[in-house]
Amino acid sequence: MIYVTRRELFSAAHRLFNPNFSDAENEKIYDKCNNEFGHGHNYVLEVTVCGEINPATGYLIDLKKLKKIIRENVIVFLDHKHLNYEVPFLKGIIPTSENLTLVIWNLLVKKIDEGKLFSVKLYETENNYFEYRGE
Ligand code: NI
């Protein structure tokens, strides 16, 4: 089994807020991330595909193809957007990185047709990252 990873970057704004909580509860839970006007992150997304090497090409998946799949299905919808307002598939979802990671997995899992999606990792800052493996 071989693992191939493509990294893509995007920048986006969000506000962490649950309309079912009071303002005080939102502030207590989300702290600075509850800022009424939002704030931004430079996200780093790492998508890993696993499988066997195709003996004819020597590839698991052509990285040009993986890059295109990620850009066309994820990046184009998220980059330079406000995640609370502008992204149809995030409607009604609190745009934490946990939720984003899961949503990105669901956007990609059926699009990978060579090997299979192994993990989606989303770095929100240098020190914090989130990972989903479909389990
Ligand atoms: Ni944030």
Side-chain angles (χ1 to χ4, degrees), residues 39-101:
H39 63 276
H41 293 283
N42 294 317
Y43 292 96
V44 178
L45 173 65
E46 289 181 357
V47 175
T48 301
V49 174
C50 69
E52 301 303 328
I53 299 171
N54 177 335
T57 60
Y59 284 165
L60 165 60
I61 180 170
D62 184 343
L63 275 161
K64 283 199 303 291
K65 183 175 164 186
L66 182 55
K67 166 178 141 183
K68 195 165 183 277
I69 291 170
I70 300 167
R71 290 195 177 175
E72 288 179 356
N73 293 284
V74 177
I75 303 299
V76 75
F77 296 105
L78 302 180
D79 193 30
H80 288 76
K81 295 289 176 5
H82 196 305
L83 303 179
N84 297 70
Y85 304 113
E86 295 181 83
V87 185
F89 52 74
L90 292 176
K91 213 170 163 47
I93 294 173
I94 301 168
T96 59
S97 289
E98 286 89 335
N99 281 333
L100 269 179
T101 304

